[in-house]
Amino acid sequence: MPQGEVLFEFVQLGQQMRVAAIDSASGTEVVVITPVSATRNQMQQLALAKLRRKLQTEAPAPVKRLF
């Protein structure tokens, strides 16, 4: 995975935190739900690991042929 910028979004939902990690180059997004008692760093590392895994397993889109 190329090293690009990753954006994180945190939204508290009761006693849980919804953390979204978005790869700025591809627009790929993953979401994890963590307890609010976890540290911000733990939340980011979990979301980042899931994003990296998704980017590694995604197959490139097939090229459309015109003829």
Side-chain angles (χ1 to χ4, degrees):
M1 173 179 119
Q3 296 297 329
E5 185 178 23
V6 177
L7 307 171
F8 293 96
E9 176 185 58
F10 296 85
V11 178
Q12 186 170 347
L13 305 167
Q15 293 300 310
Q16 299 175 332
M17 186 72 73
R18 178 188 182 275
V19 183
I22 306 149
D23 177 56
S24 63
S26 66
T28 302
E29 177 179 3
V30 296
V31 174
V32 295
I33 303 296
T34 67
V36 293
S37 59
T39 67
R40 182 179 178 101
N41 186 47
Q42 290 171 327
M43 294 176 193
Q44 284 183 322
Q45 291 303 314
L46 180 62
L48 183 59
K50 186 173 181 179
L51 178 62
R52 285 182 175 158
R53 175 76 177 203
K54 183 172 183 178
L55 290 173
Q56 287 175 353
T57 59
E58 277 186 352
V63 177
K64 290 187 176 182
R65 297 188 175 228
L66 299 175
F67 51 93

